[in-house]
Amino acid sequence: GLGCCVLVLLLLLGGSGSPGTPPPPRGPWAEEQGPVPEGGPWGGVRYEDVKKHLGAVGALSQQYWQYLACKVWPEGCEEEKEKQPEEREASLVPSWGFPLVGQDYLEILSAWYCSFGKCCETGDCRIINNITGLEADLSVQLHGQHLAKEVVVRAVQGFLQSPRPHKALVLSFHGWSGTGKNFVARMVASHLYRDGLKSDCVRVFVSLLHFPHHNYVDSYKAQLQRQISETLQRCSQALLIFDEAEKLHASLLDAIRPFMAQHDSEGQADQQRAIFLFLSNLGGNTINEVALEFWRAGRAREEISLELLEQRLRQELQEAAESSYAHSHLLRENLIDFVVPFLPLEYQHVRLCARDAFLARGLPYTEETLDKVAQMMVFVPREEKLFSAQGCKSVPQRINYFLP
């Protein structure tokens, strides 16, 4: 339509003029147009010529639209593909081609459209895998968790860069409530998929919400296996998050073992491209004891190494007699690739969480206000009052006390 308007405007300018002005130079169609009476209306020859070229513009526009429509909605394009090349060329007006640069623009346009809609059969066309953004946001928004930042970024990046991983990536997050386990899980989802947790390739299971009754564990087991299988079949890259993993029945954890185990057959290659995140409060006391030992020794928490914490965590999880999570074969068969410890948060971390909460809501704050929010939290142990008992979990609600 834009091309038609430009063409008509050029023709009108070329055929009009005021008395006394020299005639405009003859265009590339001069040989076809023929003489036109001076000061008179267009002749029949020029009218037919304009009609011819307008028809060509319309044909080209139709071809562009058909190309874009077939890229976005491939259904119904089979008949067009079955046409012989001679038939397709005959349907177009001569002298009008399909420029390659235009085709490139249409490729970009169709890709842009697919970023808002779903144009792929597998359901994973909105995968973005923005590892750079994930690393940057973790560095800015995740406070007091130097181990989690490093492990999560390296593990996910290495897994996605592997052309054919031998097994699914399994990360197990451990620590007190409010230390950032759910926050990191959401951030991973938002940087791997454009729709974040709402993506068709992301499934979130909460133990007490989805599997509340142990009497129906056999039914839960069948449903869980079916849902995971459907997600892996629909998406070449899936993210499965299990919150409150320590409350999952042991048979449910055993039910998902085949999806995380190592596979050798090529037919199961698609099944291997999956990331499992287990979020658990288990091991929080062990992590806190190590952090407290470092503080009492005058050492910075950043000196705590992953090797030290991971070794003590694995030992605790495997020896805990009351934990169904520890009784599963996930740890014993080394199906968990990384045990990720989340350290307890201190006073300065709570202040940073309060600052982020104010910024997220676009509210003004002062340093005094941040201190007041942090002072409302409960800190333990009783003597040192070093760690926030709730982490940053209730900080967004606490700032409501300071709104005007």
Side-chain angles (χ1 to χ4, degrees):
L2 181 60
C4 293
C5 295
V6 173
L7 181 60
V8 171
L9 180 60
L10 291 176
L11 291 174
L12 290 175
L13 293 176
S16 63
S18 58
T21 59
R26 297 172 65 85
W29 307 336
E31 291 79 5
E32 304 177 11
Q33 293 172 351
V36 179
E38 184 176 355
W42 286 357
V45 176
R46 176 169 291 187
Y47 172 79
E48 293 297 331
D49 184 77
V50 172
K51 181 178 179 181
K52 170 185 174 183
H53 287 285
L54 288 178
V57 172
L60 182 61
S61 301
Q62 183 179 5
Q63 187 181 10
Y64 268 73
W65 167 251
Q66 184 177 6
Y67 178 83
L68 177 60
C70 287
K71 293 291 291 184
V72 176
W73 302 287
E75 301 83 359
C77 298
E78 290 76 8
E79 298 180 0
E80 182 65 22
K81 294 180 180 179
E82 294 176 356
K83 285 185 178 181
Q84 298 296 328
E86 294 81 5
E87 298 179 6
R88 290 197 299 265
E89 292 179 0
S91 63
L92 297 176
V93 179
S95 75
W96 285 89
F98 193 39
L100 179 61
V101 64
Q103 186 170 351
D104 293 339
Y105 285 142
L106 286 178
E107 292 282 359
I108 298 174
L109 181 58
S110 62
W112 171 80
Y113 177 86
C114 288
S115 68
F116 292 94
K118 297 179 180 178
C119 310
C120 57
E121 297 178 357
T122 59
D124 56 4
C125 54
R126 294 168 68 79
I127 295 176
I128 54 178
N129 289 343
N130 183 12
I131 301 300
T132 302
L134 174 62
E135 183 177 11
D137 284 351
L138 287 177
S139 299
V140 175
Q141 301 181 34
L142 182 63
H143 309 299
Q145 305 297 349
H146 67 284
L147 294 176
K149 293 177 184 178
E150 180 180 1
V151 175
V152 171
V153 171
R154 289 190 177 183
V156 174
Q157 184 176 24
F159 177 75
L160 296 179
Q161 290 178 348
S162 176
R164 188 178 292 274
H166 297 293
K167 63 180 293 293
L169 175 64
V170 184
L171 304 179
S172 188
F173 296 172
H174 294 270
W176 268 7
S177 177
T179 53
K181 300 184 300 294
N182 277 280
F183 180 77
V184 173
R186 291 195 303 269
M187 192 168 292
V188 170
S190 64
H191 285 86
L192 297 188
Y193 304 90
R194 193 179 303 274
D195 298 321
L197 294 178
K198 297 181 180 180
S199 171
D200 293 336
C201 301
V202 178
R203 297 301 301 265
V204 180
F205 302 95
V206 183
S207 298
L208 296 182
L209 177 63
H210 295 96
F211 318 109
H213 305 292
H214 286 182
N215 295 334
Y216 303 103
V217 66
D218 292 335
S219 176
Y220 295 153
K221 181 177 179 180
Q223 294 176 8
L224 181 60
Q225 289 179 327
R226 185 183 69 254
Q227 292 174 351
I228 294 178
S229 297
E230 292 175 352
T231 304
L232 294 176
Q233 291 174 1
R234 179 170 59 247
C235 305
S236 60
Q237 175 186 307
L239 176 63
L240 301 119
I241 304 172
F242 292 85
D243 195 7
E244 299 177 348
E246 75 278 4
K247 300 174 184 176
L248 279 173
H249 196 276
S251 60
L252 293 179
L253 286 170
D254 292 338
I256 63 179
R257 280 173 51 208
F259 300 103
M260 297 183 290
Q262 182 172 350
H263 300 288
D264 297 326
S265 61
E266 295 183 358
Q268 295 172 318
D270 291 341
Q271 190 182 64
Q272 300 165 8
R273 186 67 71 175
I275 301 176
F276 288 81
L277 301 182
F278 292 95
L279 283 56
S280 172
N281 291 337
L282 286 179
N285 292 334
T286 298
I287 298 173
N288 295 353
E289 289 175 3
V290 174
L292 186 59
E293 291 173 4
F294 270 69
W295 182 82
R296 287 174 175 172
R299 303 175 62 182
R301 61 190 286 134
E302 287 74 20
E303 298 181 29
I304 301 176
S305 65
L306 178 64
E307 292 76 17
L308 172 63
L309 271 179
E310 187 175 20
Q311 181 179 3
R312 295 182 61 168
L313 274 175
R314 285 181 179 271
Q315 183 177 1
E316 177 188 350
L317 297 176
Q318 290 177 351
E319 293 178 354
E322 299 178 358
S323 173
S324 62
Y325 187 79
H327 287 167
S328 71
H329 301 286
L330 302 184
L331 285 168
R332 295 175 184 175
E333 297 182 7
N334 294 319
L335 295 180
I336 295 179
D337 298 297
F338 295 95
V339 175
V340 185
F342 283 73
L343 302 175
L345 299 183
E346 301 177 5
Y347 184 87
Q348 66 268 21
H349 305 134
V350 177
R351 290 184 80 260
L352 293 174
C353 291
R355 181 203 63 185
D356 294 345
F358 278 106
L359 293 176
R361 298 174 59 174
L363 301 173
Y365 66 90
T366 62
E367 297 298 323
E368 181 182 1
T369 303
L370 299 183
D371 285 324
K372 289 182 179 180
V373 174
Q375 291 168 3
M376 295 177 67
M377 310 297 290
V378 178
F379 289 86
V380 294
R382 180 178 301 177
E383 297 79 12
E384 290 85 355
K385 296 187 180 299
L386 181 62
F387 305 132
S388 172
Q390 295 177 295
C392 286
K393 199 164 190 176
S394 61
V395 167
Q397 288 75 30
R398 303 277 179 161
I399 67 174
N400 294 329
Y401 289 96
F402 303 95
L403 298 182

Short mmCIF file of all heavy atoms in Angstrom, two decimals, residues 248-279:
data_model
loop_
_atom_site.label_atom_id
_atom_site.label_comp_id
_atom_site.label_asym_id
_atom_site.label_seq_id
_atom_site.Cartn_x
_atom_site.Cartn_y
_atom_site.Cartn_z
N LEU A 248 8.65 -34.12 49.64
CA LEU A 248 8.21 -35.05 48.61
C LEU A 248 8.34 -36.48 49.12
O LEU A 248 9.32 -36.84 49.77
CB LEU A 248 9.05 -34.90 47.35
CG LEU A 248 8.70 -33.76 46.39
CD1 LEU A 248 9.75 -33.67 45.29
CD2 LEU A 248 7.32 -33.95 45.78
N HIS A 249 7.35 -37.30 48.81
CA HIS A 249 7.41 -38.70 49.18
C HIS A 249 8.55 -39.37 48.41
O HIS A 249 8.83 -39.03 47.25
CB HIS A 249 6.09 -39.39 48.87
CG HIS A 249 5.93 -40.71 49.53
ND1 HIS A 249 6.45 -41.87 49.01
CD2 HIS A 249 5.33 -41.07 50.71
CE1 HIS A 249 6.16 -42.89 49.81
NE2 HIS A 249 5.48 -42.42 50.84
N ALA A 250 9.21 -40.33 49.06
CA ALA A 250 10.37 -40.97 48.44
C ALA A 250 10.01 -41.63 47.11
O ALA A 250 10.80 -41.61 46.16
CB ALA A 250 10.96 -42.01 49.40
N SER A 251 8.82 -42.21 46.99
CA SER A 251 8.45 -42.87 45.75
C SER A 251 8.26 -41.87 44.61
O SER A 251 8.46 -42.21 43.44
CB SER A 251 7.15 -43.67 45.94
OG SER A 251 6.09 -42.81 46.33
N LEU A 252 7.89 -40.62 44.94
CA LEU A 252 7.77 -39.60 43.90
C LEU A 252 9.15 -39.22 43.37
O LEU A 252 9.33 -39.00 42.17
CB LEU A 252 7.05 -38.37 44.45
CG LEU A 252 5.59 -38.57 44.82
CD1 LEU A 252 5.00 -37.26 45.37
CD2 LEU A 252 4.78 -39.03 43.62
N LEU A 253 10.12 -39.12 44.26
CA LEU A 253 11.48 -38.83 43.81
C LEU A 253 12.04 -39.98 42.99
O LEU A 253 12.73 -39.77 42.00
CB LEU A 253 12.37 -38.55 45.02
CG LEU A 253 12.15 -37.20 45.70
CD1 LEU A 253 12.89 -37.14 47.02
CD2 LEU A 253 12.60 -36.07 44.80
N ASP A 254 11.71 -41.20 43.40
CA ASP A 254 12.15 -42.34 42.61
C ASP A 254 11.47 -42.38 41.25
O ASP A 254 12.03 -42.90 40.28
CB ASP A 254 11.86 -43.64 43.36
CG ASP A 254 12.70 -43.79 44.62
OD1 ASP A 254 13.77 -43.13 44.68
OD2 ASP A 254 12.30 -44.53 45.53
N ALA A 255 10.26 -41.82 41.17
CA ALA A 255 9.53 -41.84 39.90
C ALA A 255 10.19 -40.97 38.84
O ALA A 255 10.07 -41.24 37.65
CB ALA A 255 8.09 -41.38 40.12
N ILE A 256 10.88 -39.92 39.27
CA ILE A 256 11.51 -39.03 38.29
C ILE A 256 12.97 -39.37 38.06
O ILE A 256 13.64 -38.70 37.27
CB ILE A 256 11.38 -37.55 38.75
CG1 ILE A 256 12.13 -37.34 40.07
CG2 ILE A 256 9.93 -37.15 38.87
CD1 ILE A 256 12.06 -35.92 40.57
N ARG A 257 13.46 -40.39 38.74
CA ARG A 257 14.85 -40.80 38.52
C ARG A 257 15.16 -41.10 37.05
O ARG A 257 16.21 -40.69 36.56
CB ARG A 257 15.17 -42.03 39.37
CG ARG A 257 15.49 -41.72 40.81
CD ARG A 257 15.61 -43.01 41.60
NE ARG A 257 16.51 -43.96 40.95
CZ ARG A 257 16.42 -45.28 41.08
NH1 ARG A 257 15.47 -45.81 41.81
NH2 ARG A 257 17.30 -46.06 40.49
N PRO A 258 14.30 -41.84 36.33
CA PRO A 258 14.64 -42.14 34.92
C PRO A 258 14.84 -40.91 34.06
O PRO A 258 15.60 -40.95 33.09
CB PRO A 258 13.43 -42.97 34.44
CG PRO A 258 12.84 -43.54 35.68
CD PRO A 258 13.05 -42.51 36.74
N PHE A 259 14.19 -39.81 34.41
CA PHE A 259 14.32 -38.59 33.61
C PHE A 259 15.64 -37.87 33.88
O PHE A 259 16.06 -37.04 33.08
CB PHE A 259 13.17 -37.65 33.89
CG PHE A 259 11.83 -38.22 33.58
CD1 PHE A 259 11.00 -38.67 34.61
CD2 PHE A 259 11.38 -38.34 32.28
CE1 PHE A 259 9.77 -39.21 34.34
CE2 PHE A 259 10.13 -38.87 32.00
CZ PHE A 259 9.32 -39.31 33.03
N MET A 260 16.28 -38.19 35.00
CA MET A 260 17.54 -37.54 35.34
C MET A 260 18.75 -38.43 35.13
O MET A 260 19.88 -37.95 35.14
CB MET A 260 17.50 -37.09 36.82
CG MET A 260 16.43 -36.07 37.12
SD MET A 260 16.50 -35.51 38.84
CE MET A 260 15.96 -36.99 39.67
N ALA A 261 18.51 -39.73 34.95
CA ALA A 261 19.61 -40.67 34.84
C ALA A 261 20.32 -40.52 33.51
O ALA A 261 19.81 -39.93 32.55
CB ALA A 261 19.10 -42.10 35.01
N GLN A 262 21.51 -41.08 33.45
CA GLN A 262 22.32 -41.01 32.23
C GLN A 262 21.77 -41.97 31.19
O GLN A 262 21.40 -43.10 31.49
CB GLN A 262 23.77 -41.36 32.53
CG GLN A 262 24.71 -41.27 31.33
CD GLN A 262 26.16 -41.44 31.72
OE1 GLN A 262 26.49 -41.44 32.89
NE2 GLN A 262 27.02 -41.58 30.74
N HIS A 263 21.72 -41.50 29.93
CA HIS A 263 21.22 -42.30 28.83
C HIS A 263 22.30 -42.41 27.77
O HIS A 263 23.05 -41.48 27.51
CB HIS A 263 19.96 -41.67 28.22
CG HIS A 263 18.83 -41.54 29.19
ND1 HIS A 263 18.11 -42.62 29.65
CD2 HIS A 263 18.31 -40.46 29.82
CE1 HIS A 263 17.18 -42.21 30.51
NE2 HIS A 263 17.28 -40.90 30.63
N ASP A 264 22.32 -43.58 27.13
CA ASP A 264 23.30 -43.82 26.08
C ASP A 264 22.68 -43.85 24.69
O ASP A 264 23.36 -43.63 23.70
CB ASP A 264 24.02 -45.16 26.32
CG ASP A 264 24.81 -45.14 27.62
OD1 ASP A 264 25.34 -44.06 27.95
OD2 ASP A 264 24.89 -46.18 28.29
N SER A 265 21.39 -44.14 24.60
CA SER A 265 20.76 -44.26 23.29
C SER A 265 20.47 -42.89 22.72
O SER A 265 20.09 -41.96 23.43
CB SER A 265 19.46 -45.06 23.40
OG SER A 265 18.54 -44.41 24.26
N GLU A 266 20.63 -42.77 21.40
CA GLU A 266 20.39 -41.49 20.74
C GLU A 266 18.91 -41.16 20.70
O GLU A 266 18.53 -40.01 20.57
CB GLU A 266 20.96 -41.52 19.32
CG GLU A 266 22.49 -41.66 19.29
CD GLU A 266 23.01 -41.63 17.86
OE1 GLU A 266 22.18 -41.52 16.95
OE2 GLU A 266 24.25 -41.71 17.69
N GLY A 267 18.06 -42.16 20.78
CA GLY A 267 16.63 -41.89 20.72
C GLY A 267 16.13 -41.10 21.90
O GLY A 267 15.07 -40.51 21.87
N GLN A 268 16.89 -41.09 22.99
CA GLN A 268 16.49 -40.36 24.19
C GLN A 268 17.24 -39.05 24.33
O GLN A 268 17.29 -38.48 25.40
CB GLN A 268 16.75 -41.23 25.42
CG GLN A 268 15.88 -42.49 25.47
CD GLN A 268 16.30 -43.41 26.60
OE1 GLN A 268 17.48 -43.61 26.83
NE2 GLN A 268 15.33 -43.97 27.29
N ALA A 269 17.81 -38.57 23.22
CA ALA A 269 18.62 -37.34 23.29
C ALA A 269 17.79 -36.15 23.71
O ALA A 269 18.22 -35.32 24.49
CB ALA A 269 19.28 -37.08 21.95
N ASP A 270 16.53 -36.07 23.19
CA ASP A 270 15.70 -34.93 23.54
C ASP A 270 15.36 -34.94 25.02
O ASP A 270 15.17 -33.90 25.64
CB ASP A 270 14.42 -34.95 22.70
CG ASP A 270 14.70 -34.65 21.24
OD1 ASP A 270 15.78 -34.09 20.95
OD2 ASP A 270 13.86 -34.99 20.39
N GLN A 271 15.24 -36.16 25.59
CA GLN A 271 14.88 -36.26 26.99
C GLN A 271 15.99 -35.74 27.89
O GLN A 271 15.74 -35.31 29.01
CB GLN A 271 14.58 -37.73 27.30
CG GLN A 271 13.95 -37.96 28.66
CD GLN A 271 13.73 -39.43 28.92
OE1 GLN A 271 14.68 -40.20 29.00
NE2 GLN A 271 12.49 -39.82 29.04
N GLN A 272 17.21 -35.77 27.40
CA GLN A 272 18.34 -35.38 28.23
C GLN A 272 18.45 -33.86 28.39
O GLN A 272 19.14 -33.40 29.29
CB GLN A 272 19.63 -35.93 27.62
CG GLN A 272 19.64 -37.46 27.52
CD GLN A 272 20.73 -37.96 26.61
OE1 GLN A 272 21.57 -37.18 26.17
NE2 GLN A 272 20.71 -39.23 26.31
N ARG A 273 17.85 -33.09 27.50
CA ARG A 273 17.96 -31.64 27.56
C ARG A 273 16.92 -31.10 28.53
O ARG A 273 15.90 -30.54 28.15
CB ARG A 273 17.78 -31.04 26.17
CG ARG A 273 18.01 -29.55 26.11
CD ARG A 273 19.45 -29.18 26.37
NE ARG A 273 20.31 -29.56 25.26
CZ ARG A 273 21.60 -29.27 25.19
NH1 ARG A 273 22.17 -28.60 26.18
NH2 ARG A 273 22.33 -29.66 24.17
N ALA A 274 17.19 -31.31 29.81
CA ALA A 274 16.28 -30.85 30.85
C ALA A 274 17.09 -30.39 32.05
O ALA A 274 18.18 -30.90 32.31
CB ALA A 274 15.31 -31.96 31.25
N ILE A 275 16.53 -29.42 32.76
CA ILE A 275 17.16 -28.88 33.97
C ILE A 275 16.18 -29.09 35.13
O ILE A 275 15.03 -28.66 35.07
CB ILE A 275 17.50 -27.39 33.82
CG1 ILE A 275 18.47 -27.19 32.64
CG2 ILE A 275 18.10 -26.84 35.10
CD1 ILE A 275 18.78 -25.72 32.37
N PHE A 276 16.65 -29.77 36.18
CA PHE A 276 15.86 -30.01 37.38
C PHE A 276 16.42 -29.15 38.52
O PHE A 276 17.61 -29.17 38.79
CB PHE A 276 15.91 -31.48 37.78
CG PHE A 276 15.13 -32.40 36.88
CD1 PHE A 276 15.68 -32.83 35.68
CD2 PHE A 276 13.86 -32.82 37.22
CE1 PHE A 276 14.98 -33.67 34.84
CE2 PHE A 276 13.14 -33.66 36.39
CZ PHE A 276 13.70 -34.09 35.20
N LEU A 277 15.52 -28.41 39.18
CA LEU A 277 15.89 -27.61 40.34
C LEU A 277 15.09 -28.11 41.54
O LEU A 277 13.85 -28.12 41.51
CB LEU A 277 15.61 -26.12 40.11
CG LEU A 277 16.30 -25.44 38.93
CD1 LEU A 277 15.93 -23.96 38.90
CD2 LEU A 277 17.81 -25.61 39.01
N PHE A 278 15.79 -28.54 42.59
CA PHE A 278 15.15 -28.97 43.83
C PHE A 278 15.43 -27.92 44.90
O PHE A 278 16.59 -27.58 45.17
CB PHE A 278 15.68 -30.33 44.27
CG PHE A 278 15.28 -31.46 43.36
CD1 PHE A 278 16.13 -31.88 42.35
CD2 PHE A 278 14.06 -32.08 43.51
CE1 PHE A 278 15.76 -32.92 41.50
CE2 PHE A 278 13.67 -33.12 42.67
CZ PHE A 278 14.54 -33.53 41.67
N LEU A 279 14.36 -27.41 45.51
CA LEU A 279 14.48 -26.38 46.53
C LEU A 279 14.11 -26.98 47.88
O LEU A 279 13.00 -27.53 48.03
CB LEU A 279 13.56 -25.20 46.22
CG LEU A 279 13.99 -24.21 45.13
CD1 LEU A 279 14.26 -24.88 43.80
CD2 LEU A 279 12.93 -23.13 44.93
#
